Amino acid sequence: MATTQTSDASFEQDVLKSDKPVLVDFWAEWCGPCKQLGPILEDLAAERSDITVTKLNIDENPQKPVEFGVRGIPTIMLFKDGQLQATKVGLLPKGDLNKWIDDAIA
C-alpha cells in the first residue's frame, strides 16, 4: 500500500479513528529532509500492513501542526487507538524508523 494524504479536515477520520496505528508525516514541499524521507515512508507503507502511513502538508494544513506542537519538519508522529504514542523530528534511516515504530506500538 502506498502512503496516503490527510488534511486538517480529514485528520480525525484518517488518523484518530483508524483501526490501525497511523504514522503521520508532517512535511512541506520546500523541505529537503522531508523529500529524503518520502521514499523511506513509501517503502514502509509498501512493506508494513500493520500500520497506515499518511502525509500532512503543513503549508496547506496549518491547524493540526499547531495543535500537535510541530516546530520543525519533518516531524513524524505515531498514533494508536486515537492517541499519540510517539514523536520523532528529523530524518531517520529506515531501520531506525522501523524499530521506533515497533517500540511505539508494542
Side-chain angles (χ1 to χ4, degrees):
M1 188 174 165
T3 60
T4 60
Q5 301 289 323
T6 191
S7 66
D8 285 343
S10 65
F11 193 90
E12 183 175 349
Q13 188 63 43
D14 297 340
V15 178
L16 302 180
K17 292 186 176 179
S18 175
D19 56 354
K20 293 198 297 190
V22 181
L23 185 150
V24 180
D25 173 29
F26 292 86
W27 71 286
E29 278 294 330
W30 47 264
C31 168
C34 297
K35 290 180 180 180
Q36 291 176 284
L37 185 60
I40 296 169
L41 295 177
E42 289 293 336
D43 286 351
L44 284 178
E47 295 169 5
R48 296 190 67 139
S49 60
D50 61 329
I51 64 168
T52 298
V53 179
T54 192
K55 299 171 74 73
L56 185 133
N57 184 314
I58 65 163
D59 290 333
E60 297 170 2
N61 301 280
Q63 181 184 345
K64 291 302 174 186
V66 169
E67 186 176 320
F68 289 103
V70 173
R71 298 200 180 277
I73 55 171
T75 292
I76 51 174
M77 294 185 177
L78 193 63
F79 292 83
K80 182 180 176 185
D81 300 324
Q83 299 295 313
L84 177 61
Q85 300 295 310
T87 302
K88 281 277 187 195
V89 179
L91 184 61
L92 287 175
K94 186 175 164 186
D96 293 350
L97 194 52
N98 263 317
K99 180 174 182 348
W100 176 76
I101 293 166
D102 291 340
D103 290 346
I105 62 175

